[in-house]
Amino acid sequence: MRISIGSDHGGYALKQQVVKYLQTKYEVVDYGCDSLDSCDYPIFAKKVANDVSSNASDFGVLICTTGIGMSITANKFKGVRAALVMNEESAHLTRMHNNSNVICMGAKFTPYEEAVKYLDAFLEEQFEGGRHQRRVDQIED
């Protein structure tokens, strides 16, 4: 499985930890940012969303201070269903019901220990299909 990841300066520290964790299990493409210097989150969200949209990566991970800006940007790409998760259950449910393919987290609200739980829940969960497929199709339309 290939995962693309990106953050801005607000998510940099958490991203660095998450990259190390994910690399123990998956192929990871890290699009940056590469420091705590102020930068613009859309640059990194676009790189990750483009990978997921074009099927260059199976999933994306985006981290900024709140996760909100990243999710807004990523959801502008065809085929991307980015979800801001705030707990383990929402990570499970967005995969099961929405077939989300990009997980967004807010570093301000997500300690590393919780982030890895959210990631595992998200990446290991399967889409249920059925009535949920109809809804995902409506999103795509």
Side-chain angles (χ1 to χ4, degrees), residues 15-141:
K15 179 193 64 98
Q16 293 301 101
Q17 293 177 298
V18 165
V19 165
K20 288 179 186 173
Y21 176 76
L22 291 173
Q23 286 174 331
T24 66
K25 299 179 174 192
Y26 309 106
E27 177 186 353
V28 177
V29 179
D30 182 355
Y31 282 110
C33 73
D34 298 317
S35 75
L36 293 171
D37 295 339
S38 183
C39 59
D40 300 326
Y41 64 83
I43 294 167
F44 307 98
K46 288 176 181 180
K47 291 177 181 182
V48 170
N50 187 60
D51 269 10
V52 174
S53 179
S54 68
N55 295 312
S57 286
D58 300 292
F59 292 100
V61 177
L62 292 169
I63 306 169
C64 64
T65 301
T66 64
I68 297 168
M70 289 291 203
S71 63
I72 290 169
T73 304
N75 276 316
K76 296 204 172 276
F77 284 71
K78 182 171 178 53
V80 170
R81 290 171 304 282
L84 173 60
V85 300
M86 299 295 261
N87 56 52
E88 197 171 347
E89 184 176 12
S90 64
H92 277 292
L93 289 172
T94 197
R95 283 285 302 129
M96 289 171 54
H97 295 176
N98 309 116
N99 200 17
S100 292
N101 48 20
V102 176
I103 183 172
C104 302
M105 294 181 281
K108 183 173 184 172
F109 311 109
T110 311
Y112 170 74
E113 297 76 20
E114 293 300 309
V116 295
K117 291 178 187 177
Y118 304 170
L119 287 163
D120 286 343
F122 184 85
L123 295 169
E124 295 170 8
E125 189 59 74
Q126 299 296 313
F127 178 52
E128 284 185 348
R131 72 183 193 276
H132 303 296
Q133 182 62 58
R134 181 179 72 247
R135 295 168 185 155
V136 169
D137 291 342
Q138 290 173 13
I139 292 168
E140 291 301 311
D141 288 343

